[in-house]
């Protein structure tokens, strides 16, 4: 338990981190296309390869994982690689969706985010400058709002962002999969990736409490 908690905390800086919430995999209506690869390619999104090398934590992170996981190091490393690969997939899909929707970054929201959190972010606790974090958080909010407006559905709580429109995410990702724009080649990653969207959800928000009129930091 201590190892899992450590890993989750260390990964909170990722803006699109998801954790599987059910051990039962949901049957897939559209099977992933079978492709041959060198074993390093985990997924292909919009023609871009997501590789194991891309998802591998850096040397410092690997050392921290090893110190915590000890004999479970390989299993924990694989877990982190799957999380990082999933994060990359979400980023690529959402960036494409935002571009197609013509979503422009709200600079006023960026300024408000920076003003609120500037004193809490430093080189010691973050590898990214506050403005970059702010821009990603604002674009994430704007894109998720557009997702919810288009698809609706259930919304869950997550630590990195209090409202995740999980059904909307699933609908969008399924659209990309059905259009062959999202292909998850690695079987372990594929199972973990789609398990995230399998109900029941532990932290589902009541519909009357869902509100995308403004971001969580205001």
């Amino acid at each position: 338990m201590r190892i899992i908690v450590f890993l989750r905390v260390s990964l909170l800086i990722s803006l699109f981190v998801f954790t599987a919430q059910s051990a039962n995999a949901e049957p897939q209506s559209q099977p992933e296309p079978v492709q041959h690869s060198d074993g390093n390619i985990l997924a292909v999104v919009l023609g871009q390869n997501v590789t194991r090398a891309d998802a591998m934590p850096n040397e410092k992170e690997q050392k921290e994982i090893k110190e915590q996981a000890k004999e479970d190091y390989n299993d924990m490393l694989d877990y982190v690689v799957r999380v990082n690969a999933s994060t990359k997939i979400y980023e690529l899909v959402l960036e494409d969706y935002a571009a197609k929707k013509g979503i422009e970054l709200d600079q006023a929201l960026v300024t408000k985010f920076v003003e609120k959190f500037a004193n809490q972010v430093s080189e010691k606790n973050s590898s990214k400058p506050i403005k970059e974090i702010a821009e990603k958080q604002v674009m994430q909010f704007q894109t998720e709002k557009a997702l919810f407006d288009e698809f609706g559905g259930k919304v869950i709580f997550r630590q990195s962002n209090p409202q995740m429109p999980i059904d909307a995410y699933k609908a969008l990702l399924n659209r990309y999969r059905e259009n062959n724009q999202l292909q998850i080649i690695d079987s372990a990653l594929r199972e973990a990736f789609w398990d995230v969207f399998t109900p029941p959800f532990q932290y589902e928000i009541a519909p009357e409490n869902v509100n995308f009129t403004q971001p969580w930091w205001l």
Side-chain angles (χ1 to χ4, degrees):
M1 179 62 70
R2 183 170 62 92
I3 294 171
I4 297 297
V5 170
F6 163 78
L7 287 172
R8 286 177 177 168
V9 171
S10 67
L11 290 168
L12 282 180
I13 60 173
S14 298
L15 299 182
F16 298 91
V17 169
F18 297 78
T19 303
Q21 300 176 27
S22 171
N24 299 317
E26 182 179 18
Q28 297 181 21
S29 57
Q30 296 289 334
E32 299 289 339
V34 177
Q35 296 191 10
H36 297 286
S37 72
D38 59 6
N40 188 46
I41 299 176
L42 303 177
V44 182
V45 185
L46 297 159
Q48 179 173 332
N49 292 338
V50 177
T51 68
R52 183 174 177 84
D54 295 331
M56 186 67 66
N58 61 39
E59 292 184 6
K60 179 181 178 181
E61 292 168 339
Q62 289 184 48
K63 183 178 179 180
E64 292 174 348
I65 294 169
K66 194 167 188 177
E67 290 174 351
Q68 292 288 328
K70 301 186 186 311
E71 67 273 10
D72 295 322
Y73 171 69
N74 289 332
D75 289 340
M76 291 299 100
L77 183 62
D78 286 342
Y79 168 79
V80 174
V81 167
R82 288 195 297 272
V83 170
N84 289 346
S86 295
T87 299
K88 183 63 176 178
I89 292 170
Y90 302 136
E91 288 177 345
L92 291 172
V93 169
L94 288 184
E95 285 172 5
D96 185 70
Y97 177 76
K100 289 177 178 176
K101 282 286 188 179
I103 299 174
E104 297 183 0
L105 186 66
D106 188 326
Q107 293 295 340
L109 290 180
V110 172
T111 298
K112 290 179 180 179
F113 186 98
V114 171
E115 289 173 349
K116 184 164 185 176
F117 295 105
N119 294 333
Q120 300 178 32
V121 177
S122 66
E123 293 182 359
K124 292 183 179 180
N125 58 30
S126 176
S127 60
K128 298 178 181 179
I130 182 63
K131 191 171 187 296
E132 181 178 344
I133 295 174
E135 289 174 348
K136 287 191 174 183
Q137 281 284 358
V138 170
M139 181 55 73
Q140 179 182 354
F141 165 74
Q142 291 181 257
T143 305
E144 290 183 341
K145 182 180 185 302
L147 266 177
F148 184 75
D149 288 344
E150 179 173 353
F151 298 105
K154 296 178 180 177
V155 176
I156 64 172
F157 171 84
R158 61 182 172 188
Q159 288 178 302
S160 60
N161 192 336
Q163 292 187 124
M164 173 190 172
I166 192 159
D167 282 350
Y169 265 97
K170 182 179 180 181
L172 180 68
L173 292 164
N174 272 327
R175 176 191 292 176
Y176 277 72
R177 177 173 62 172
E178 291 164 1
N179 291 336
N180 290 324
Q181 295 175 305
L182 168 57
Q183 302 171 19
I184 304 180
I185 298 170
D186 181 82
S187 59
L189 173 61
R190 182 164 62 245
E191 181 178 358
F193 184 92
W194 292 111
D195 271 355
V196 171
F197 305 98
T198 305
F201 303 114
Q202 186 174 5
Y203 299 112
E204 184 176 343
I205 300 174
E208 62 270 21
N209 294 328
V210 174
N211 185 354
F212 281 93
T213 57
Q214 65 179 23
W216 57 267
W217 61 86
L218 295 182

